[in-house]
Structure formats: C-alpha cells, structure tokens
Amino acid sequence: MAAVFWLPSQSLVRDLRSRGVTSAAIVIDVDSKPKYVKVRLVSGPRAGDEVKLSDYAGMYPGAQVNEAMLVTYDPQEPSRLLSRDWVANPPPNLPAYGTAALALLCLSLTAAAALRRRRILRTSSPSAQPASSMERKDLRGDETRPQRLSAEQ
C-alpha cells in the first residue's frame, strides 16, 4: 500500500528532473482546501498556458493568488507540473511513511500473536502433561491405570 503513495510521486519527480523545463509562472487560482493550485506560465515555449500544479503525495505548495513562482513541467505532457523547489528537494511523503509504519506495526503484532500462540500450544500439549493426569476412571469411579495388551494374556 505504501508503494501506491510512493511510486507515482517519485516517478513524477524523476521524470521532471530528467526532462523537465523550468518556467516562471504566476498563481491565478488557489482552492482553500487545497484541492488545486492553478498557474499561468509567463515564460518559456508554453507562455500564456494555464495549468494546474500536480500534487505530490496529495500535497500542494502553499501559494497565494498573484504570487510568482518557478515551476518545472514535462514538455511531453504539460499537465505534469510541480514547483521547482519540490523538484529539487521534494517534501517528505507522509502518506507513504504512515502507511509503511502501519504495515510494520500490523506485521509485528501478527508475528507476536503467532509466537505467543505457538508457545501456549507447546506448553499445553498432551505430551507435556504429567502421568497422573493420564489416569482414567472407569464407569464405577475407580481409578485404573492404562494396561498393556500383549499376545501372552
């Protein structure tokens, strides 16, 4: 599950580092949630285009309307766009770290429960019981010991 959060964001950063084009942009719209940050490119081959920044692990940079920023976009797919700061130094991928921590916690608890169950079953097995508990009572209530059957009797 952590890979679902980790791989797309790392792939985006790796692609933008290898073939990305850096351009100046002006923020033209910001949702208050934030669900998106929309910018207008003001330099480079795509000057004048309005595009939404891609999210990085569900996060967007803190930006205000009319704020200038440097962005890096993929010339083959201009909708893949990140703040230049985030391409150079991505923020911590908290969803991936949290999911990995929960997975490790669940794995360790499962292993601890399995080891505990194994220990309990090992100490309560019939071979570990004393001989006195192996005695049985017949229908009249008398205690009898198990008898060996042999061909001589």
Side-chain angles (χ1 to χ4, degrees):
M1 184 63 146
V4 170
F5 293 113
W6 184 264
L7 293 177
S9 56
Q10 290 301 313
S11 172
L12 176 63
V13 167
R14 188 180 60 244
D15 290 347
L16 291 177
R17 282 180 181 168
S18 67
R19 65 174 181 254
V21 175
T22 300
S23 176
I26 295 178
V27 178
I28 57 173
D29 195 15
V30 177
D31 185 20
S32 62
K33 299 277 189 242
K35 289 189 178 181
Y36 67 89
V37 175
K38 193 171 186 180
V39 297
R40 179 181 299 121
L41 301 175
V42 294
S43 69
R46 303 192 72 87
D49 287 357
E50 294 180 0
V51 290
K52 291 181 181 178
L53 284 176
S54 299
D55 68 295
Y56 181 84
M59 299 179 291
Y60 293 95
Q64 303 295 326
V65 176
N66 294 327
E67 180 181 339
M69 66 179 352
L70 289 175
V71 294
T72 302
Y73 65 91
D74 186 347
Q76 297 173 357
E77 193 176 339
S79 63
R80 299 181 73 194
L81 178 88
L82 271 182
S83 167
R84 178 67 186 149
D85 295 338
W86 283 19
V87 173
N89 187 18
N93 192 335
L94 298 179
Y97 297 155
T99 305
L102 286 174
L104 287 174
L105 177 67
C106 290
L107 179 64
S108 62
L109 290 174
T110 301
L115 291 173
R116 184 174 185 272
R117 177 172 164 70
R118 186 175 179 193
R119 189 176 327 131
I120 289 171
L121 289 176
R122 188 177 289 163
T123 59
S124 66
S125 67
S127 62
Q129 292 180 351
S132 63
S133 66
M134 297 289 284
E135 295 176 350
R136 59 186 171 103
K137 294 186 177 187
D138 65 5
L139 294 175
R140 294 175 292 171
D142 295 337
E143 288 188 345
T144 59
R145 296 206 181 262
Q147 298 178 1
R148 274 197 183 143
L149 297 177
S150 64
E152 297 175 359
Q153 290 181 350

